[in-house]
Amino acid sequence: TAVSHNPGDHWIAVLFGGPGQKADVFDSYGRHCKNRHIKAFLLRGSPDGYTWNRTRLQGSWSPVCGQYCVTYL
């Protein structure tokens, strides 16, 4: 993330389950992950795939994605 006086990055949260369980991805914008590096990371940790929330909780200019992720976890 960035220093406090600069814009930051968007946070997501990931929970990996046990063997045979899909990872669970939380994005406060309710978006499916499009970043190929994050997708590769998810599939390495969860070969059976992953699920994600589809409900948008955060406005476009809201800076609280980190708080949503911590609450989710």
Side-chain angles (χ1 to χ4, degrees):
T1 64
V3 293
S4 63
H5 62 275
N6 288 341
D9 295 312
H10 181 62
W11 288 30
I12 63 171
V14 179
L15 287 174
F16 288 101
Q21 294 181 330
K22 293 182 177 183
D24 192 32
V25 180
F26 173 81
D27 180 350
S28 57
Y29 288 143
R31 298 181 302 197
H32 184 268
C33 179
K34 294 182 181 176
N35 181 298
R36 65 184 175 94
H37 300 291
I38 295 174
K39 280 182 163 181
F41 169 76
L42 290 169
L43 292 174
R44 277 195 309 273
S46 182
D48 293 327
Y50 56 92
T51 62
W52 69 96
N53 66 300
R54 292 173 172 85
T55 303
R56 184 181 183 118
L57 302 173
Q58 179 180 349
S60 297
W61 301 106
S62 172
V64 296
C65 56
Q67 287 94 326
Y68 275 115
C69 287
V70 169
T71 300
Y72 169 77
L73 294 172

